Amino acid sequence: MVDDKQEIIRVEKLNKSFGDLHVLKDIDMSVKESDVVVLIGASGSGKSTLLRCLNFLEIKNSGNIIIEGEKIEKNTHNLNEVRQRVGMVFQHFNLFPHKTVLGNVIEAPTQVKGIKKEKAIRDGKELLDKVGLGDKYDVYPSTLSGGQKQRVAIARALAMKPDVMLFDEPTSALDPELVGEVLATMKKLALEGMTMVVVTHEMGFAREVGDWVNYMHDGRIVESGDPNDLFDNPKQERTQAFLSSVL
């Protein structure tokens, strides 16, 4: 079978240091259209830093980040425009407490993209319906559960109509009983063909929803593969040790 899907993100020999701490080491990675690429690994392995480099919240030291065929550089690109194409959902929801749920979702489209308020409201309500919060337009974030806040954060990121969505441990700040509702929302997005890169500790999600899994250790991608191959027959000793500790 020929894979003719467009490559959305390509990372080549990416390195990132914070002072003397070398956090990402020669990372190579590819993300194709409508794929869900999952990053797994112990805390401190570089997963979140890699994600933050993809949306230019952290600026690489060397290597290339190519988005939809275009090599992105800090000094030649408007990084805010790039971030509109690469949406991000964080571990902590970062909602505006003084705005309603709908107000949070329409803020960026109206302020950043200049979309007319009436259209932004229509689109925002559709997105909130999509994430199962159609009855919460007018409430404030303080009245929501953690899982509901995270689903608002997902709707807010989707409101910018990004080409790819990055999820940085979106369930790790949630109580266990709320994790499922957020993962279900992400599964729905995956089924609809949203291109996603997900950092997660939820191995069931990685196996079920991921098209490709990258295991990271000490700033490197140690092993990559189809989820079933990687989980059932990991080739590298480090991957085997990690999986036996979490599964």
Side-chain angles (χ1 to χ4, degrees):
M1 192 174 86
V2 179
D3 184 2
D4 54 0
K5 287 199 284 197
Q6 183 196 346
E7 193 171 56
I8 301 284
I9 297 176
R10 176 186 269 304
V11 176
E12 298 172 339
K13 296 284 174 275
L14 185 72
N15 283 273
K16 173 66 184 173
S17 297
F18 297 104
D20 294 336
L21 187 64
H22 194 175
V23 181
L24 296 178
K25 303 167 184 172
D26 288 336
I27 297 282
D28 291 315
M29 184 172 90
S30 171
V31 181
K32 293 197 168 166
E33 182 180 27
S34 77
D35 274 1
V36 178
V37 174
V38 183
L39 304 176
I40 64 171
S43 296
S45 56
K47 308 180 301 295
S48 292
T49 303
L50 173 54
L51 217 59
R52 291 171 72 86
C53 285
L54 295 182
N55 138 303
F56 301 91
L57 290 170
E58 301 291 354
I59 302 301
K60 65 187 170 65
N61 294 100
S62 64
N64 295 319
I65 298 173
I66 298 156
I67 297 181
E68 295 173 303
E70 187 181 11
K71 186 156 65 166
I72 308 294
E73 294 295 348
K74 174 184 161 190
N75 49 357
T76 55
H77 287 81
N78 178 340
L79 297 185
N80 283 329
E81 286 179 5
V82 176
R83 287 189 196 111
Q84 291 177 37
R85 290 152 57 188
V86 184
M88 186 140 175
V89 174
F90 299 89
Q91 184 175 344
H92 298 286
F93 330 113
N94 305 337
L95 299 177
F96 295 117
H98 61 287
K99 290 186 182 291
T100 63
V101 163
L102 184 60
N104 269 278
V105 172
I106 70 171
E107 173 79 3
T110 54
Q111 299 301 317
V112 179
K113 281 195 155 178
I115 289 170
K116 289 208 162 55
K117 193 165 182 187
E118 298 71 38
K119 174 161 175 42
I121 287 172
R122 269 202 316 276
D123 293 350
K125 286 184 170 179
E126 259 176 46
L127 286 170
L128 286 166
D129 283 340
K130 178 188 220 149
V131 300
L133 293 172
D135 57 342
K136 300 288 186 188
Y137 305 144
D138 296 330
V139 307
Y140 287 85
S142 60
T143 67
L144 300 179
S145 72
Q148 289 170 328
K149 288 177 186 169
Q150 192 58 291
R151 286 185 283 147
V152 174
I154 291 171
R156 179 181 59 182
L158 289 171
M160 294 300 279
K161 298 189 165 49
D163 300 326
V164 57
M165 286 273 281
L166 311 178
F167 291 86
D168 188 8
E169 299 195 17
T171 59
S172 64
L174 300 178
D175 293 332
E177 69 272 17
L178 301 176
V179 167
E181 65 190 59
V182 173
L183 294 179
T185 300
M186 293 167 64
K187 280 180 201 169
K188 190 171 163 189
L189 291 179
L191 288 171
E192 289 172 2
M194 172 58 81
T195 309
M196 294 156 62
V197 184
V198 182
V199 171
T200 187
H201 293 291
E202 299 289 337
M203 296 300 141
F205 175 86
R207 181 189 277 250
E208 183 189 346
V209 183
D211 294 293
W212 196 256
V213 177
N214 293 323
Y215 166 64
M216 290 185 69
H217 175 78
D218 191 29
R220 298 182 191 279
I221 293 178
V222 172
E223 188 165 350
S224 298
D226 167 275
N228 289 329
D229 288 347
L230 191 124
F231 283 109
D232 293 337
N233 302 299
K235 310 272 186 298
Q236 303 293 329
E237 270 181 39
R238 286 215 176 279
T239 318
Q240 292 163 11
F242 171 74
L243 290 174
S244 67
S245 73
V246 296
L247 293 179

